[in-house]
């Protein structure tokens, strides 16, 4: 701070020394008008900068504003306080914690000079003259903890000469020229002179010379060792500053070694019967999320806190860890489920709790963010269940960090842009449109960047708005959208059946330009699918630009880039692209990010969350992610779409099975949500289980088809018998599973998934010869047929007329080489939800095909797919309430 000549001299010495030994050092200069707040702000920035291993504040502070020096020195993070001046480092030194603190450089240098003499400090009598916080006081402590008998003298000491005469080791830092006389010194003593004083000397050009606090010429005759001034303690102080900086860097690298976690796990207090999910969640006291971030090796500047229990993680962590090996990649999927679900989320959480809290492995769970629609509808939350949950579950199931709201805003901006563009093109001439699209601002007309891209797409290589011909202006301003081809709908994150078909444009201001449209639920938006598949902000933006929203009347695809909205979408989604960090009940880390539909989209959490997690866990760690619905849907898409775009290769498939679902596949009565289970599901029935294992066999085959080892997790319910569970385990092994284990994690937490975790560890060491099911260069129909025959067991496919037209259209438009994302029921391997088990010989009808070009797939529609759920007669919201006193959320499940 300021521009003192002496401070600049000292700083330049330090910078020179740093350069000589390869330390990158910078001088941050603040003016002498800097306030205390300015200095503190600068220090705070350096404290959190992982590229800075140590820094010093040069004293004195040369400012014309009042600054509390003590406050400034204590603001420096102790782990970066290489000058050792903060109260924390001083306190540790005074307590003798020499290995856990930084020692002020001058005392440290003095101690090193004493060691260089070869004289043992232990047992010697030492005298320190001076008691400053920078030299005297820490020097006393340093000598004391090196087992000397120490006396500190100061300005009030009346018998100074007598005390000096007793010293085997004398350290002087009084700031008074030649105060200590040679005759005071004990013969053979070691004398360390820290003083720098100027005395008149007419023989010098400056009229003065530098002397120490000791009369050197007489003292050297009695001392066995003495430091000169200048050239003694000064250079050693600089050397110690360099040494402390290197030590700081070493400590930092050891502490933040990628993959080296020191994590505190939470102990569960299990209760029987198992309480409600929200009771369990609210009985848990989560760790502060910044602690979780620190435990897994994230730097403070890589984490954005959203309160105490959730945070966003910067994508910059991928660049920092780009050279680190990935961990083991595990995907959790399931057999064809009942409408009640079979516990994939619960198993995912139970597995990571077992791997982390019980086997002490580095492990991350990567899960989807749930829609609020089902949370308030009939399904409830999706944070897991029982003693295997992401917590706090109310944060997880509700707004989280606002990602879904950002998607809603971005999606509806595109929808608004489509209808506004149609309206304006219908009501204005080419020139009027051009004048408004490229307005004159202060007499200057200029294309925006996105408009330049549209010109290039049209083959118009001009940048001067005045240079376009009438034909070029027409091509530029006219998207000529065919309203009948619009595939982009408005969205809302609420179940609302009355928005499934609406009429828009009924206000008189829209001049009669009405059309039929609809609302979908937000998680079905292509923007959600883009978020889940993007591998960075730039990739996400490019995918946004490629999203096809309609076709022109000439059949040309109209994209978000054509609408001019791409950049705005990126701005709305700039925070949503960062994964959300949470934790499980047992304190293992979780990324919650993205939640695309598992039927019309690929039903997997984000590529970015998986990539960051794989780097953080290190080569021996595990990342466990979940694929939506059964293996025929979510797992197939995980492999053929997500892994294709991410470049990641899975090591293990965990296939979740339940006795309940297998009984259903064996011919059991219909299972209906909200209705008590028939007795066939609550009483032992080995025949139904055995018959239903055909579905288990087929899903094991589906996973092995991709070359990945399969571990079957038999999720046990309290009504299951030992014989039923044993039968499923035996059948799974006979069907080709690497292993199959019974799991009780819902009731026991990670402990109940311990056998599963050990099986996954073993399977991760087995060969994984991962391969895709198809080459994307195959024709669209061939890719669909391969999935239908190989994964579902169909005899063939049948394309209805609308689907045939789309095959021709998308092939013509250049989208034929995209992966396939089948949209079919999750309740059967076939297209008919009533067909259970493992049906064969059926023909799969393809009603229509749609394109999510930005996300990067085509999705054939097998039957009718609802993209806007409705509310049941008695929705979950009847039970959801807020305690106005405590602020606690009640009734979520």
């Amino acid at each position: 701070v300021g521009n003192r000549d002496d401070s600049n001299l000292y700083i330049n010495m330090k910078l020179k020394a740093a350069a000589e030994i390869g330390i990158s050092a910078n001088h941050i200069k603040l003016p002498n008008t800097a306030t205390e707040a300015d200095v503190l702000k600068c220090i705070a920035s350096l404290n959190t900068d992982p590229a800075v291993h140590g820094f010093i504040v040069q004293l004195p502070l040369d400012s014309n504003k009042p600054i509390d020096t003590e406050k400034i020195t204590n603001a420096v993070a102790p782990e970066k306080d290489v000058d050792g001046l903060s109260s924390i480092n001083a306190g540790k030194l005074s307590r003798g914690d020499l290995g856990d603190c930084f020692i002020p450089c001058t005392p440290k240098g003095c101690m090193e000079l004493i060691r260089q003499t070869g004289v043992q400090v232990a047992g010697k009598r030492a005298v320190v003259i001076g008691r400053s916080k920078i030299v005297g006081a820490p020097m006393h402590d340093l000598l004391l903890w090196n087992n000397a008998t120490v006396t500190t003298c100061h300005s009030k000491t009346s018998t100074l000469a007598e005390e000096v005469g007793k010293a085997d080791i004398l350290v002087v830092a009084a700031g008074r020229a030649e105060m200590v006389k040679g005759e005071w010194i004990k013969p053979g003593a070691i004398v360390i002179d820290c003083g720098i004083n100027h005395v008149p000397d007419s023989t010098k050009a400056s009229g003065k010379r530098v002397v120490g606090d000791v009369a050197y010429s007489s003292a050297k005759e009695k001392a066995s060792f003495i430091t000169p001034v200048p050239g003694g303690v000064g250079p050693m102080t600089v050397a110690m500053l360099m040494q402390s900086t290197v030590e700081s860097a070493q400590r930092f690298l050891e502490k933040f070694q990628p993959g080296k976690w020191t994590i505190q796990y939470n102990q569960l207090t299990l209760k029987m019967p198992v309480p409600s999910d929200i009771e369990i969640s609210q009985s848990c006291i989560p760790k502060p999320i910044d602690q979780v971030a620190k435990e897994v090796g994230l730097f403070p500047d890589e984490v954005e806190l959203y309160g105490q229990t959730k945070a966003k993680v910067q994508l910059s962590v991928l660049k920092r860890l780009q050279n680190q090996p990935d961990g083991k990649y595990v995907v959790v999927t399931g057999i064809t489920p009942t409408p009640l679900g079979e516990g994939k989320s619960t198993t995912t959480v139970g597995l990571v709790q077992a791997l982390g809290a019980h086997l002490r492995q580095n492990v991350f769970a990567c899960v989807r963010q749930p829609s609020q629609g089902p949370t308030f509808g009939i399904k409830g939350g999706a944070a897991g269940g029982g003693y295997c949950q992401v917590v706090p579950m109310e944060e997880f199931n509700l707004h989280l960090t606002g990602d879904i709201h950002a998607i809603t805003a971005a999606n509806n901006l595109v929808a608004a842009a489509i209808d506004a563009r149609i309206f304006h093109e219908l009501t204005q001439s080419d020139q009027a449109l051009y004048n408004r699209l490229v307005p004159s601002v202060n007499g200057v007309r200029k294309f925006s960047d996105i408009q330049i891209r549209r010109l290039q797409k049209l083959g118009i290589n001009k940048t001067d708005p005045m240079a376009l011909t009438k034909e070029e202006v027409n091509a530029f301003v006219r998207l000529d959208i065919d309203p009948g081809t619009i595939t982009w709908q408005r969205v809302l994150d609420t179940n609302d059946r009355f928005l499934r078909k609406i009429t828009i444009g009924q206000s008189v201001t829209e001049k009669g330009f009405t059309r039929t449209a609809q609302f979908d639920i937000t998680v079905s938006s292509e923007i959600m699918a883009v978020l889940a598949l993007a591998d960075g902000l730039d990739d996400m933006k490019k995918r946004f630009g490629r999203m096809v929203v309609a076709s022109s009347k000439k059949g040309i695809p109209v994209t978000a880039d054509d609408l001019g909205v791409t950049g705005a979408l990126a701005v709305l989604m700039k925070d949503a692209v960062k994964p959300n960090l949470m934790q499980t009940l047992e304190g293992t880390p979780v990324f919650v990010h993205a939640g695309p539909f598992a039927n019309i989209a690929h039903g997997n959490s984000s590529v970015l969350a998986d990539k960051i997690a794989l780097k953080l866990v290190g080569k021996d760690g595990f990342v466990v992610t979940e694929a939506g619905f059964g293996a025929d849907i979510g797992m197939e898409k995980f492999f053929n779409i997500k892994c294709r775009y991410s470049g990641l290769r899975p090591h293990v498939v965990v296939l979740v099975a339940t006795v309940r679902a297998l009984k259903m596949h064996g011919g059991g009565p219909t299972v209906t949500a909200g209705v008590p289970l028939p007795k066939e599901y609550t009483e032992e029935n080995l025949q139904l289980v055995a018959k239903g294992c055909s579905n288990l066999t087929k899903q094991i085959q589906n996973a092995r088809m991709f070359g990945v080892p399969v571990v079957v997790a038999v999720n046990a319910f309290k009504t299951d018998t030992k014989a039923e569970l044993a039968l499923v385990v035996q059948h799974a092994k006979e069907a080709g599973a690497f292993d199959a284990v019974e799991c009780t994690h819902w009731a026991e937490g990670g402990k109940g998934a311990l056998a599963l975790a050990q099986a996954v560890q073993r399977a991760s060491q087995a060969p994984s010869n991962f391969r895709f099911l198809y080459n994307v260069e195959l024709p669209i129909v061939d890719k669909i047929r391969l999935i239908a025959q190989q994964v579902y067991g169909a005899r063939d496919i049948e394309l209805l007329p609308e689907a045939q037209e789309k095959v021709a259209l998308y092939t013509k438009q250049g989208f034929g080489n995209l992966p396939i994302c089948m949209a079919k029921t999750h309740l059967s391997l076939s297209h008919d939800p009533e067909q259970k088990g493992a049906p064969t010989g059926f023909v799969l009808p393809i009603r229509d095909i749609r394109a999510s070009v930005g996300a990067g797939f085509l999705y054939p529609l097998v039957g009718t797919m609802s993209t806007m759920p409705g509310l049941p007669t008695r929705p979950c919201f009847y039970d959801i309430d807020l305690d106005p006193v405590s602020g606690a959320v009640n009734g979520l499940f």
Side-chain angles (χ1 to χ4, degrees):
V1 177
N3 198 33
R4 285 175 60 117
D5 291 338
D6 55 350
S7 290
N8 286 328
L9 176 64
Y10 299 144
I11 289 167
N12 288 332
M13 287 171 55
K14 294 164 186 174
L15 290 173
K16 182 181 177 184
E20 287 174 353
I21 62 173
I23 292 177
S24 174
N26 296 299
H27 180 192
I28 297 175
K29 299 179 182 180
L30 297 180
N32 68 351
T33 56
T35 64
E36 184 175 272
D38 293 333
V39 181
L40 290 171
K41 183 178 179 181
C42 184
I43 289 172
S45 174
L46 294 170
N47 281 342
T48 58
D49 186 348
V52 175
H53 298 117
F55 65 97
I56 66 170
V57 179
Q58 185 67 44
L59 302 177
L61 299 168
D62 177 28
S63 175
N64 58 19
K65 303 287 193 303
I67 297 181
D68 183 342
T69 300
E70 183 80 1
K71 187 175 182 180
I72 295 300
T73 54
N74 281 325
V76 179
E79 65 272 17
K80 294 189 178 184
D81 176 28
V82 289
D83 241 355
L85 299 182
S86 69
S87 295
I88 290 177
N89 278 319
K92 287 183 176 181
L93 174 59
S94 69
R95 289 172 48 177
D97 298 334
L98 305 189
D100 189 34
C101 70
F102 285 112
I103 299 164
C105 298
T106 298
K108 188 176 182 181
C110 294
M111 203 69 211
E112 183 61 31
L113 288 167
I114 294 167
R115 287 196 189 95
Q116 292 291 331
T117 67
V119 174
Q120 291 294 318
V121 175
K124 297 295 189 293
R125 182 179 291 276
V127 172
V128 177
I129 301 177
R131 54 184 174 181
S132 74
K133 295 176 181 178
I134 297 175
V135 182
M139 192 71 233
H140 172 280
D141 294 334
L142 200 52
L143 286 163
L144 178 68
W145 292 110
N146 277 275
N147 300 308
T149 301
V150 188
T151 301
T152 296
C153 300
H154 44 77
S155 60
K156 303 298 183 184
T157 302
S158 57
T159 56
L160 185 59
E162 182 183 334
E163 296 296 337
V164 170
K166 300 174 185 176
D168 301 313
I169 299 170
L170 176 65
V171 180
V172 187
R176 292 174 59 185
E178 299 182 326
M179 179 187 73
V180 175
K181 309 305 179 186
E183 57 267 26
W184 297 0
I185 295 171
K186 180 181 179 178
I190 297 171
V191 179
I192 307 295
D193 188 352
C194 302
I196 299 178
N197 309 284
H198 294 89
V199 296
D201 187 340
S202 58
T203 65
K204 301 291 183 181
S206 63
K208 56 186 178 181
R209 63 188 171 90
V210 176
V211 297
D213 291 353
V214 178
Y216 182 79
S217 56
S218 58
K220 72 177 182 177
E221 301 302 325
K222 297 189 73 174
S224 59
F225 296 92
I226 186 170
T227 57
V229 178
V233 172
M236 185 57 77
T237 297
V238 175
M240 292 301 102
L241 175 62
M242 300 300 110
Q243 186 183 78
S244 291
T245 304
V246 171
E247 288 174 2
S248 177
Q250 288 172 331
R251 291 178 190 176
F252 173 85
L253 291 172
E254 185 176 336
K255 183 178 180 181
F256 288 100
Q257 186 177 342
K260 184 180 179 181
W261 291 8
T262 303
I263 191 164
Q264 172 191 323
Y265 297 105
N266 298 332
Q267 288 286 113
L268 293 179
T269 303
L270 303 177
K271 293 182 180 180
M272 290 298 289
V274 177
S276 71
D277 289 352
I278 196 161
E279 283 181 75
I280 294 172
S281 175
Q282 292 179 346
S283 69
C284 164
I285 301 176
K287 295 178 289 187
I289 201 64
D290 56 341
Q291 178 185 331
V292 177
K294 187 177 181 181
E295 288 174 344
V296 302
L298 290 166
F299 293 166
D301 69 329
E302 293 171 339
V303 180
E304 298 174 9
L305 302 180
Y306 281 65
Q308 293 293 311
T309 57
K310 53 191 177 181
K312 279 198 166 290
V313 174
Q314 297 276 6
L315 305 187
S316 58
V317 68
L318 275 174
K319 184 175 181 182
R320 173 171 68 86
L321 299 176
Q322 61 186 337
N323 296 320
Q324 298 301 320
D326 288 345
K328 302 294 175 61
Y329 198 27
V330 180
V331 60
V332 176
T333 185
I335 63 171
T336 305
T338 68
L340 306 177
E342 308 318 308
K344 291 193 308 298
S345 299
T346 306
T347 302
T348 299
V349 177
L351 175 57
V352 297
Q353 289 182 164
L355 284 166
H358 297 267
L359 295 179
R360 295 301 194 263
Q361 298 290 304
N362 291 355
V363 62
F364 242 105
C366 291
V367 299
R368 290 179 293 166
Q369 179 184 354
S371 165
Q372 286 181 176
T375 299
F376 290 104
I378 194 169
K379 182 176 179 293
Y387 287 102
C388 297
Q389 296 186 52
V390 180
V391 292
M393 66 97 80
E394 57 268 42
E395 297 285 351
F396 177 91
N397 284 310
L398 299 176
H399 305 283
L400 197 57
T401 56
D403 293 353
I404 291 181
H405 302 316
I407 292 165
T408 302
N411 183 99
N412 292 344
L413 180 62
V414 177
I418 293 167
D419 288 302
R421 187 58 175 262
I422 293 172
F423 174 79
H424 292 306
E425 286 188 25
L426 287 171
T427 56
Q428 298 180 52
S429 66
D430 288 357
Q431 195 58 49
L433 278 170
Y434 192 56
N435 290 342
R436 288 179 171 87
L437 288 170
V438 193
S440 175
V441 180
N442 297 324
V444 178
R445 297 185 76 178
K446 183 181 178 182
F447 292 119
S448 65
D449 291 342
I450 201 165
Q451 288 176 326
I452 292 288
R453 289 206 299 274
R454 171 149 175 79
L455 288 169
Q456 291 169 346
K457 180 179 177 180
L458 293 169
I460 302 170
N461 297 310
K462 296 177 181 179
T463 56
D464 179 3
M466 305 305 293
L468 268 63
T469 65
K470 284 186 177 181
E471 291 75 16
E472 290 169 338
V473 167
N474 174 267
F476 174 74
V477 301
R478 297 285 172 188
L479 299 181
D480 201 23
I481 294 171
D482 178 355
T485 66
I486 295 173
T487 55
W488 197 270
Q489 310 298 344
R490 288 163 172 81
V491 298
L492 190 68
D493 196 35
T494 302
N495 289 8
D496 191 344
R497 67 177 65 246
F498 285 92
L499 294 178
R500 289 170 179 168
K501 188 173 184 181
I502 60 173
T503 303
I504 60 173
Q506 292 191 351
S507 169
V508 293
T509 55
E510 274 49 76
K511 303 179 181 178
F513 297 113
T514 63
R515 70 179 182 89
T516 300
Q518 68 186 59
F519 269 81
D520 295 337
I521 198 160
T522 298
V523 291
S524 70
S525 169
E526 185 175 352
I527 289 178
M528 175 65 91
V530 167
L531 174 66
L533 288 170
D535 72 355
L537 192 55
D538 185 57
D539 181 49
M540 181 177 71
K541 184 178 174 182
K542 288 176 180 175
R543 287 173 181 268
F544 285 159
R546 294 197 298 266
M547 293 187 306
V548 174
V549 301
S551 294
S552 72
K553 290 171 183 173
K554 293 180 180 178
I556 299 169
V558 177
T559 66
D561 233 29
D562 293 325
L563 288 167
V565 76
T566 305
L569 298 180
V571 169
L572 286 170
M573 294 291 293
K574 68 181 179 64
D575 293 317
V577 76
K578 304 166 192 171
N580 304 296
L581 180 65
M582 295 187 77
Q583 62 192 290
T584 67
L585 282 167
E586 295 191 52
T588 58
V590 180
F591 275 139
V592 184
H593 199 216
F597 252 30
N599 46 25
I600 66 165
H602 62 292
N604 289 269
S605 59
S606 78
V607 166
L608 280 167
D610 290 359
K611 285 190 170 184
I612 294 173
L614 284 164
K615 293 298 182 186
L616 288 171
V617 298
K619 66 182 180 65
D620 297 320
F622 291 83
V623 171
V624 182
T625 190
E626 178 194 343
F629 292 153
D632 55 307
I633 299 181
M635 183 196 71
E636 182 271 316
K637 295 173 183 179
F638 172 82
F639 289 147
N640 281 322
I641 299 176
K642 184 176 181 180
C643 290
R644 196 185 298 270
Y645 282 121
S646 70
L648 300 174
R649 298 295 178 260
H651 293 81
V652 184
V653 170
V654 172
L655 184 70
V656 180
T658 64
V659 168
R660 178 178 69 194
L662 292 172
K663 285 180 175 180
M664 177 191 73
H665 288 296
T670 301
V671 175
T672 305
V675 175
L677 287 170
K679 64 180 179 62
E680 286 84 352
Y681 295 99
T682 58
E683 298 174 359
E684 184 175 285
N685 192 321
L686 296 176
Q687 186 178 357
L688 278 181
V689 175
K691 189 177 178 184
C693 279
S694 61
N695 187 270
L696 174 61
T697 299
K698 177 56 179 167
Q699 299 290 29
I700 291 172
Q701 291 170 353
N702 282 341
R704 294 187 66 199
M705 187 190 309
F706 292 90
V708 185
V710 184
V711 174
V712 173
V714 185
N715 187 18
F717 295 168
K718 62 183 180 182
T719 55
D720 300 339
T721 67
K722 287 292 183 184
E724 288 173 332
L725 294 168
L727 179 62
V728 179
V729 168
Q730 177 189 344
H731 190 95
K733 291 178 180 178
E734 292 173 352
F738 177 90
D739 203 351
V741 293
E742 178 187 336
C743 303
T744 54
H745 44 276
W746 179 80
E748 297 184 293
K751 177 185 172 185
L754 198 51
L756 174 62
Q758 291 165 335
V760 166
Q761 281 184 303
R762 293 192 301 272
S764 71
Q765 304 300 322
S768 177
N769 303 307
F770 177 71
R771 55 188 173 271
F772 298 121
L773 179 64
Y774 54 80
N775 186 324
V776 290
E777 300 299 326
L778 287 173
I780 295 172
V781 173
D782 289 357
K783 288 181 285 193
I784 297 172
R785 182 176 287 110
L786 270 171
I787 295 171
Q789 293 178 335
Q790 298 295 316
V791 179
Y792 306 156
R795 177 170 57 81
D796 204 351
I797 61 173
E798 178 188 7
L799 269 66
L800 301 184
E802 196 169 356
Q804 293 175 19
E805 290 172 10
K806 292 294 180 62
V807 168
L809 174 66
Y810 293 145
T811 303
K812 177 184 175 183
Q813 291 180 336
F815 305 141
N817 61 351
L818 292 175
I820 299 299
C821 183
M822 298 292 284
K824 80 167 186 71
T825 178
H826 62 290
L827 298 174
S828 171
L829 281 162
S830 75
H831 57 285
D832 181 359
E834 300 304 316
Q835 284 195 309
K836 304 302 181 184
T840 58
F842 59 91
V843 175
L844 192 76
I846 309 299
R847 180 173 63 83
D848 193 6
I849 302 175
R850 294 179 187 166
S852 288
V853 179
F857 53 75
L858 302 177
Y859 59 100
L861 298 177
V862 182
T864 302
M865 289 292 117
S866 174
T867 51
M868 172 53 85
L871 290 172
T873 304
R874 192 186 189 283
C876 297
F877 60 62
Y878 275 91
D879 301 309
I880 297 172
D881 202 358
L882 184 72
D883 186 322
V885 177
S886 67
V889 175
N890 300 317
L892 278 178
F893 70 95

